[in-house]
Amino acid sequence: MTTTLDRPASSPPPAVGRLVDQFEKGLDAPICLTWELTYACNLSCVHCLSSSGKRDPRELDTAQCKAIIDELQRMQVFYVNIGGGEPTVRPDFWELVDYATSHQVGVKFSTNGLKIDKAVAQRLAASDYVDVQISLDGATAEVNDAVRGPGSFDMAIKALQNLADAGFADAKISVVVTRHNVSQLDEFKALADNFGATLRITRLRPSGRGADVWDDLHPLPGQQRELYDWLVANGEGVLTGDSFFHLAAFAEPGSGGLPGLNLCGAGRVVCLIDPIGDVYACPFAIHENFLAGNIQSDGGFQTIWQQSELFLELREPQNAGACTKCAHFDACRGGCMAAKFFTGLPLAGPDPECVQGFGEALLAGERTAPTANKDHSRGVPLTLMTRPPSRDCDENPLAGFAPV
Ligand code: SF4
Ligand code: SF4
């Protein structure tokens, strides 16, 4: 299931006319709706964008979830990205998936692989309306498990094998690109090819627990270039969720750069429903500043999407500050709102990973990063105690020796 926000990196841009102008003003229904069904998770990944771990006692029940699906069907939302937490730990998960697909709402769900045994894989292979995305943040157990926890690599590979054995067509391997796995992109691609799967790579944002490890994990400036070059050379058949548009500024102005939506879609074409029915502008912006309303108490999803003050405001032209003077503005548009917000940078200005170097200068200055207003971590989250192999190019002279 491929959307405008999740097309192969080298596929041509949508026949836009000025589709981007329509996106900027917002659509009647989101084209990229993420629904986190639960904050409960068996893992404690260091960079979890929703700080998941424990179930929220106010989690929506089965009937409430079905009512949301009914509303999505009425709004003609054709598919929903389901995540968490680990969504498959909800006892009613499969019931909700079946309910959605039988109501013309296709499902793409993200999982660490926990429940994808042989029987489940066969059941999934029998459906045309369910897509599965297995999270993997290292092409080797050593690199993956340092971020996602011991045993998580083997669990994900087992799930991929079960899906392949069951004949499930085109599973996705979803990778958050970090400083430690950016050199493994070819290996990820080979792994995906080996399972008949598609590689999906996305940007590490400093959201949730990701804020605590972003300084250690986000790709270094040279690696940003490496990533851009890899996407240009190998992007065909690789999905990106349009999350690397800040890298488009590497291209010569006017030369095109990376295809895809080069616009922050928050509240315009993208949003998040969280496990208690709170609606946020973007999955990476779980903070009260980006909370548009609650489905249970504010008149339902459609009302929030179409009428909330926050979303109407986000659909107005945004102040891009100094970025408007940049020769690369048309390609990069100042980058990601969430990345700026959670690193304490002004929203009207450059992205923290601005490829022209302006973000680094700002990061070195005075700033106050906001604290997350929701944390569902189970006690002490996994820390990077098991360091991925250090390399000569690692900027920290103690890398590999000092516990973090
Ligand atoms: S805040 Fe960032 S991740 Fe969210 S829609 Fe905007 S650019 Fe994408
Ligand atoms: S200055 Fe702004 S528009 Fe220019 S490359 Fe950096 S983030 Fe993008």
Side-chain angles (χ1 to χ4, degrees):
M1 216 171 298
T2 298
T3 72
T4 309
L5 295 182
D6 221 345
R7 290 169 298 100
S10 64
S11 71
V16 238
R18 288 292 296 176
L19 190 55
V20 70
D21 292 338
Q22 293 171 38
F23 286 176
E24 204 155 16
K25 291 179 191 136
L27 303 177
D28 284 347
I31 55 172
C32 187
L33 169 59
T34 299
W35 186 359
E36 292 181 347
L37 278 181
T38 183
Y39 283 126
C41 190
N42 51 312
L43 299 183
S44 304
C45 304
V46 293
H47 58 348
C48 178
L49 67 96
S50 54
S51 301
S52 286
K54 286 183 294 197
R55 180 180 169 272
D56 190 309
R58 297 165 298 167
E59 193 169 287
L60 299 178
D61 63 24
T62 309
Q64 290 168 322
C65 289
K66 286 183 175 175
I68 292 176
I69 293 167
D70 292 341
E71 200 179 5
L72 299 181
Q73 182 185 22
R74 286 194 298 275
M75 289 177 74
Q76 298 187 307
V77 173
F78 296 118
Y79 91 101
V80 63
N81 297 296
I82 290 184
E86 171 53 44
T88 64
V89 302
R90 270 189 71 126
D92 59 0
F93 178 71
W94 304 111
E95 181 183 345
L96 291 174
V97 169
D98 288 346
Y99 190 83
T101 55
S102 64
H103 286 73
Q104 288 77 54
V105 179
V107 169
K108 173 158 64 181
F109 73 90
S110 296
T111 174
N112 54 44
L114 176 71
K115 303 271 185 174
I116 314 296
D117 59 19
K118 286 186 183 307
V120 166
Q122 273 167 8
R123 177 193 167 133
L124 290 168
S127 172
D128 286 337
Y129 302 103
V130 182
D131 200 2
V132 187
Q133 194 162 279
I134 307 285
S135 302
L136 203 61
D137 293 328
T140 54
E142 191 178 17
V143 173
N144 178 80
D145 292 4
V147 172
R148 302 186 60 81
S152 57
F153 181 83
D154 290 346
M155 184 165 65
I157 294 297
K158 187 89 191 295
L160 285 161
Q161 190 63 59
N162 287 339
L163 288 167
D165 291 348
F168 185 91
D170 199 22
K172 311 292 180 290
I173 295 181
S174 184
V175 176
V176 176
V177 179
T178 69
R179 192 171 300 181
H180 302 297
N181 68 20
V182 69
S183 61
Q184 296 186 314
L185 290 170
D186 287 334
E187 289 168 70
F188 281 120
K189 183 72 172 68
L191 205 57
D193 291 345
N194 188 39
F195 287 112
T198 295
L199 177 61
R200 180 176 192 264
I201 62 173
T202 57
R203 181 178 178 188
L204 172 73
R205 274 82 164 204
S207 316
R209 285 198 293 270
D212 301 333
V213 293
W214 189 79
D215 285 342
D216 281 340
L217 287 186
H218 81 100
L220 297 167
Q223 294 176 318
Q224 302 276 2
R225 179 76 214 199
E226 192 184 327
L227 171 59
Y228 172 79
D229 290 341
W230 190 88
L231 282 170
V232 169
N234 305 285
E236 190 166 351
V238 175
L239 305 175
T240 63
D242 290 351
S243 65
F244 295 111
F245 67 92
H246 66 298
L247 299 182
F250 275 126
E252 288 302 312
S255 70
L258 295 174
L261 181 67
N262 64 339
L263 170 77
C264 172
R268 293 166 162 151
V269 295
V270 172
C271 77
L272 167 82
I273 303 174
D274 91 345
I276 63 169
D278 280 346
V279 180
Y280 291 90
C282 161
F284 300 97
I286 303 178
H287 188 276
E288 58 196 6
N289 288 26
F290 304 106
L291 175 61
N294 181 279
I295 290 179
Q296 301 303 310
S297 56
D298 293 317
F301 178 71
Q302 184 164 10
T303 303
I304 293 170
W305 175 260
Q306 294 180 354
Q307 297 174 26
S308 72
E309 208 177 307
L310 174 70
F311 286 1
L312 294 178
E313 198 182 302
L314 287 170
R315 292 165 195 165
E316 293 295 319
Q318 302 294 304
N319 174 11
C323 285
T324 48
K325 299 195 176 73
C326 172
H328 301 276
F329 181 67
D330 279 349
C332 154
R333 304 278 188 122
C336 171
M337 177 182 79
K340 288 185 255 195
F341 179 77
F342 285 110
T343 49
L345 299 188
L347 300 189
D351 188 285
E353 291 178 315
C354 162
V355 303
Q356 300 298 310
F358 294 115
E360 278 170 83
L362 288 170
L363 289 171
E366 203 168 315
R367 62 194 166 99
T368 310
T371 46
N373 63 331
K374 283 187 177 174
D375 188 347
H376 303 273
S377 305
R378 283 179 279 117
V380 184
L382 175 76
T383 53
L384 283 166
M385 292 299 286
T386 314
R387 274 284 195 185
S390 60
R391 296 186 301 270
D392 291 346
C393 62
D394 211 310
E395 88 294 0
N396 177 355
L398 293 179
F401 297 98
V404 180

